[in-house]
Amino acid sequence: MVKVVANTRGYIDGEIRETGEVFTISDALWQDEKRRPKWVDAADAQPVTVPQATKAKPKPKPTAAIAEQPQGNGVAEALGGPPPDWLPAQGDDA
């Protein structure tokens, strides 16, 4: 059995292990690189400092650039040409 310490919260052997908790896992599991939990370190390797739980401050959102308002109804500007044929022509025919 290998004595390990959890460096983050994780689940193994039917139990949830908290950060800093010391427990043992089987030698076969520890030696298998694919199955070994990535969230544990060997307890005798070096002293582990448990990070303090701090609330991360959210990064400020970038301000959106102010888009220029198109002239007219925006269809011609958006399409890059005259309005489609299904729209009535704009004119002085009131």
Side-chain angles (χ1 to χ4, degrees), residues 54-60:
T54 58
K55 192 171 188 178
K57 295 181 181 177
K59 293 182 180 179

Side-chain angles (χ1 to χ4, degrees), residues 56-70:
K57 295 181 181 177
K59 293 182 180 179
K61 294 181 181 179
T63 57
I66 299 173
E68 293 183 25
Q69 294 296 323

Side-chain angles (χ1 to χ4, degrees), residues 7-86:
N7 53 24
T8 60
R9 188 175 186 196
Y11 179 82
I12 192 166
D13 294 332
E15 293 183 41
I16 296 176
R17 306 294 181 156
E18 296 297 329
T19 304
E21 186 175 345
V22 178
F23 57 98
T24 59
I25 61 174
S26 68
D27 292 328
L29 180 61
W30 183 253
Q31 293 176 359
D32 187 355
E33 293 290 328
K34 290 183 179 179
R35 293 180 47 224
R36 179 191 301 173
K38 306 291 187 239
W39 50 272
V40 298
D41 293 320
D44 57 352
Q46 61 184 4
V48 177
T49 58
V50 177
Q52 296 292 328
T54 58
K55 192 171 188 178
K57 295 181 181 177
K59 293 182 180 179
K61 294 181 181 179
T63 57
I66 299 173
E68 293 183 25
Q69 294 296 323
Q71 298 296 323
N73 64 3
V75 175
E77 292 81 6
L79 296 176
D85 59 354
W86 66 84

